[in-house]
Amino acid sequence: MVMAKFVTAQEAVQYIHSGDRVALAHSVGEPQALVNAMLDNYQAYQQVEICHMLALGPCKYTRPEMAGHFWHNSLFAGPGSRDAVNEGRADYTPNLFGESPRLFYEGFLPIDVALITLSPPDERGYCSYGVTVDYTKCITECAKLVIAQINRYMPRTYGDTLVHIDDIDLAVECDEPLFHRPILPVGEIEERIGQHCASLIEDGAAIQLGIGTIPDAILHFLGEKNDLGVHSEMLCDGALGLLKAGNINNSRKQINKGVSVVTYLYGRDELYEYAHLNPKLQIFPVNYVNDPRIIGQNDNVVSVNSALSVDLIGQVAADAISADKIFSGAGGFVDFVRGASFSKGGKSIIAMPSTAMGGKASRIVDQFEAGRPVTLSRFETHYVVTEYGIAQLRGKTLRQRAQALIAIAHPSFRDQLKEAYERRFKEPYPS
């Protein structure tokens, strides 16, 4: 093993060479000082590929003036990279979050340089990946060169989170606050969706929730539930109240009993402080947390994911608006839908407002336009929830599915959906 060499950020990025593929740690684990130093040095590079999933930084390497110096390969098009992908200034690689480590471990995307964030080492020399283990552990193990920003703001967490300082090639000591999740107000529509979803979550359920106002609203309505568990891709601040009050205690889980299990956190200081040296919250690589075979070992898994649109036979579009307009990525969507299917008593919920574009478009549509990517097939959709109610699709015929979905569409669009029903099924819509 090579002893880590402590250098400045400017010295560290001199080891990145033209033509390298550079993988950035995911989400909150993005090493801001290293990324900024690399950007400052952009004129020294030609065709350096930047590869990552959800980026919380501004993604300046996608800007037009960086053309020829950097090329972005997005595994999940977030706000900072979405325009570049859709304007042809970056690429998008479809993948499932739970399988993303295979891209690196099995050589589909060989990594030259990994840029990561770690906590300071303990007395034995072990650093912690902190709140982002996900695929970050994988790129550390696969990259030819590993450069770590050692940041005292990164908590030390339990789970599979340790790496020895000897296994880091270059280390840069730079303390800076971690990314914070913006807190957005929960509106009336989100509250109604949250209440409907919460009605499907029973005592003892193992829950998975994502990011956004709908998950926040769901958590608000779980205060009367007991013995909930967490086996989730990620965890946000909204769960803290339930964790501290004991509504979430993981006592009925079949695996990781008594422990909340996630692959990353995204919140604010209170959440990161809660995670620090807390054995009741453990963080593991994404190829464990998001493996449907692992998820399904818990009973009564309830997975809640958002979507862009659902058609009348139950197909779900969650990552693309059209054939040539990427919105995000699959992330852990499919992983947890399948995990819930494997779970005894499991439920998968697709939760979304009934309209988009300020009410001008229905999210429940007759059919998707030609070429629009389908994230989830009709065979895997369990529940669809809008502010107007719950459509349970499992075991339903195509006619029954269409009727259930029309019933929870926005009233302004129900008549045209009923007309589409009559054209498709050659019968009057039931009164």
Side-chain angles (χ1 to χ4, degrees):
M1 295 188 294
V2 178
M3 287 297 294
K5 180 181 179 183
F6 284 82
V7 295
T8 66
Q10 292 72 26
E11 290 169 334
V13 299
Q14 301 296 322
Y15 289 85
I16 298 172
H17 303 295
S18 294
D20 279 351
R21 175 179 287 125
V22 178
L24 304 186
H26 181 247
S27 184
V28 179
E30 180 181 327
Q32 301 171 59
L34 296 180
V35 172
N36 289 334
M38 180 178 65
L39 290 167
D40 290 342
N41 198 45
Y42 77 96
Q43 291 183 331
Y45 308 130
Q46 296 296 319
Q47 297 301 324
V48 169
E49 179 182 324
I50 308 297
C51 181
H52 61 70
M53 289 195 71
L54 177 62
L56 301 179
C59 300
K60 292 180 181 179
Y61 38 82
T62 66
R63 293 181 179 176
E65 61 267 26
M66 295 293 180
H69 301 287
F70 296 112
W71 182 256
H72 178 41
N73 181 359
S74 174
L75 305 184
F76 187 99
S81 59
R82 188 177 296 137
D83 287 347
V85 169
N86 290 320
E87 293 169 10
R89 293 183 283 108
D91 276 326
Y92 169 69
T93 298
N95 71 104
L96 301 180
F97 195 12
E99 295 186 2
S100 59
R102 295 186 64 181
L103 300 177
F104 308 117
Y105 280 132
E106 298 181 19
F108 296 102
L109 288 175
I111 301 300
D112 296 298
V113 182
L115 301 183
I116 64 175
T117 303
L118 297 174
S119 74
D122 63 14
E123 65 279 1
R124 298 176 300 152
Y126 283 97
C127 303
S128 173
Y129 291 107
V131 301
T132 54
V133 179
D134 40 68
Y135 68 73
T136 304
K137 177 180 171 66
C138 165
I139 63 173
T140 305
E141 294 172 347
C142 293
K144 298 174 185 175
L145 179 73
V146 179
I147 307 175
Q149 179 175 338
I150 306 298
N151 186 352
R152 67 178 177 84
Y153 285 92
M154 181 61 81
R156 297 187 69 86
T157 53
Y158 279 83
D160 185 3
T161 69
L162 297 181
V163 59
H164 201 276
I165 193 70
D166 287 356
D167 295 323
I168 305 303
D169 297 300
L170 297 169
V172 174
E173 293 180 303
C174 183
D175 299 326
E176 56 187 349
L178 303 179
F179 287 108
H180 283 177
R181 175 192 172 220
I183 302 299
L184 301 175
V186 174
E188 180 183 354
I189 289 174
E190 289 83 6
E191 283 194 357
R192 288 160 60 187
I193 294 170
Q195 194 165 15
H196 290 314
C197 290
S199 73
L200 296 171
I201 299 173
E202 300 171 357
D203 287 352
I207 57 175
Q208 176 264 325
L209 300 171
I211 304 172
T213 53
I214 290 176
D216 288 346
I218 295 169
L219 290 163
H220 176 74
F221 288 103
L222 297 182
E224 301 302 317
K225 307 291 183 176
N226 300 303
D227 301 331
L228 297 175
V230 169
H231 185 110
S232 183
E233 176 178 306
M234 59 87 63
L235 198 65
C236 283
D237 314 74
L240 274 175
L242 298 174
L243 286 161
K244 292 179 177 180
N247 304 91
I248 297 174
N249 59 29
N250 299 286
S251 62
R252 298 198 204 176
K253 288 170 68 177
Q254 282 64 49
I255 59 170
N256 305 118
K257 198 176 184 73
V259 173
S260 295
V261 168
V262 298
T263 198
Y264 76 102
L265 302 178
Y266 180 31
R268 302 179 77 82
D269 287 340
E270 187 179 1
L271 180 64
Y272 303 148
E273 290 164 6
Y274 177 85
H276 181 64
L277 295 177
N278 185 348
K280 293 185 178 181
L281 173 60
Q282 299 190 12
I283 307 180
F284 292 90
V286 70
N287 49 339
Y288 173 80
V289 176
N290 284 36
D291 186 335
R293 297 163 296 185
I294 299 296
I295 298 165
Q297 291 180 41
N298 281 312
D299 294 344
N300 302 311
V301 169
V302 179
S303 168
V304 183
N305 291 290
S306 61
L308 298 171
S309 188
V310 178
D311 73 7
L312 288 184
I313 61 174
Q315 297 183 118
V316 180
D319 66 308
I321 296 171
S322 64
D324 57 358
K325 192 170 184 180
I326 301 297
F327 182 76
S328 56
F333 188 111
V334 178
D335 299 330
F336 276 89
V337 167
R338 291 177 178 168
S341 293
F342 290 153
S343 167
K344 181 181 178 181
K347 301 171 184 174
S348 169
I349 301 170
I350 309 303
M352 62 184 188
S354 63
T355 63
M357 298 173 61
K360 296 179 182 178
S362 176
R363 290 181 184 266
I364 294 176
V365 298
D366 169 25
Q367 60 185 0
F368 294 145
E369 61 271 25
R372 183 173 188 177
V374 172
T375 312
L376 192 69
S377 76
R378 58 185 177 173
F379 307 107
E380 299 175 287
T381 308
H382 300 173
Y383 293 87
V384 179
V385 175
T386 73
E387 68 270 30
Y388 292 101
I390 302 168
Q392 196 287 110
L393 304 188
R394 296 181 95 177
K396 297 289 181 69
T397 67
L398 296 179
R399 285 177 172 81
Q400 292 169 331
R401 285 168 172 243
Q403 292 167 20
L405 288 164
I406 291 170
I408 65 166
H410 193 282
S412 299
F413 297 96
R414 288 180 193 168
D415 286 345
Q416 66 188 62
L417 290 170
K418 290 175 182 178
E419 293 173 2
Y421 173 96
E422 292 176 349
R423 289 194 301 271
R424 175 176 294 196
F425 297 111
K426 310 295 191 292
E427 65 179 29
Y429 186 82
S431 58

